Amino acid sequence: DFGFGGESGEGSEVDDFRKQLMTSWDSAGDDTTTTTDEGSKSSTPPVSAKKPPQIDNSSHRLWSMIGNKELSTGPDMFDQVIAAVDQHSILQGEEDALIILSPYDTADIIALRRIMARYGQTRTIVIVNSRMEPMPRELAPAVLVYGILPLIAMSRQKEGEAGLKALVMKRFPADWAVYVDVYGDGFVEATGSSLGSDGTDKDFPSPAWIAQRVQAHVEGLSKKQ
């Protein structure tokens, strides 16, 4: 979320949106948090309680790339991760795809490189919510097929309420697009600019391009009124 202050009006709001977007870009990706309600306690259901229906998961398996073994943080980590991957990350039968969720640390990078070496040329590998920096070189041929970045400006008229909203989205094979909700009545694709996206099949567009698309859209709405 981005907090704005100052003059009123759509033009100044877009200017603030641009400034905040530029200054907050580096830290915007680290705002995801997960909360757990630790205060609630589960009680043992009565014996007569109906058992939940069994879920047929024969079409997929859920497992850890490296299992539950505690890994060293020293020079032994590499060999330990390789051994763990060779034990836990082997496809079975006709399994032809892997979906890897939220890889981010050194152990994940080592594990992913091992998996890519084994299956990169013969299987479909999908990575969701990657936070790996830098990306392993084995992913050079990879393509970003879906990306989404929500941005919200705080309203200056009503403190604490959301103002202008923008959504940056990529849906393969289409290029990056920006959707804007100015008045709270729903998102529409930003129009009024011929500037092509500077995003790639690996990275999100720059904050300058996003702000330009939002500004062009808002200015176009003002001309129609």
Side-chain angles (χ1 to χ4, degrees):
D1 295 355
F2 299 93
F4 298 136
E7 302 174 0
S8 60
E10 294 172 356
S12 58
E13 184 170 344
V14 173
D15 289 339
D16 285 339
F17 182 87
R18 179 192 297 272
K19 293 176 183 177
Q20 288 291 340
L21 185 58
M22 296 295 288
T23 57
S24 304
W25 188 252
D26 292 337
S27 61
D30 298 328
D31 293 338
T32 302
T33 58
T34 303
T35 58
T36 303
D37 183 6
E38 298 181 352
S40 61
K41 297 182 179 179
S42 59
S43 57
T44 303
V47 177
S48 60
K50 184 178 180 180
K51 293 183 179 180
Q54 295 295 322
I55 299 175
D56 180 12
N57 62 350
S58 58
S59 63
H60 63 276
R61 291 187 298 127
L62 181 64
W63 38 268
S64 168
M65 292 189 295
I66 56 179
N68 298 321
K69 182 179 179 180
E70 185 175 350
L71 300 174
S72 168
T73 57
D76 295 335
M77 174 189 285
F78 182 86
D79 291 335
Q80 290 178 357
V81 172
I82 295 298
V85 171
D86 289 347
Q87 177 182 355
H88 296 283
S89 299
I90 302 298
L91 294 181
Q92 300 177 0
E94 298 182 354
E95 294 175 338
D96 60 357
L98 297 95
I99 301 177
I100 301 174
L101 303 179
S102 304
Y104 72 97
D105 62 7
T106 302
D108 289 339
I109 294 175
I110 297 171
L112 180 60
R113 296 186 67 179
R114 182 65 167 178
I115 290 173
M116 290 295 296
R118 177 177 288 125
Y119 298 119
Q121 302 299 320
T122 60
R123 301 292 195 276
T124 299
I125 299 177
V126 180
I127 302 175
V128 180
N129 291 340
S130 171
R131 290 181 176 268
M132 295 181 293
E133 290 289 348
M135 295 288 283
R137 63 176 179 267
E138 287 83 357
L139 294 180
V143 175
L144 194 158
V145 296
Y146 184 83
I148 185 169
L149 176 66
L151 302 167
I152 304 176
M154 299 306 297
S155 173
R156 281 183 249 112
Q157 283 73 31
K158 297 181 179 180
E159 184 177 354
E161 293 190 8
L164 183 149
K165 306 179 186 70
L167 187 68
V168 187
M169 181 180 293
K170 178 178 177 63
R171 291 176 288 186
F172 184 86
D175 198 1
W176 289 97
V178 177
Y179 298 84
V180 183
D181 180 2
V182 179
Y183 304 112
D185 54 357
F187 285 91
V188 295
E189 186 171 0
T191 58
S193 172
S194 59
L195 182 64
S197 169
D198 60 0
T200 68
D201 60 1
K202 298 287 191 301
D203 301 307
F204 280 81
S206 68
W209 180 82
I210 298 171
Q212 193 276 342
R213 296 288 295 187
V214 172
Q215 181 175 1
H217 179 77
V218 173
E219 290 176 350
L221 292 178
S222 300
K223 292 178 181 179
K224 293 179 182 179
Q225 295 178 351

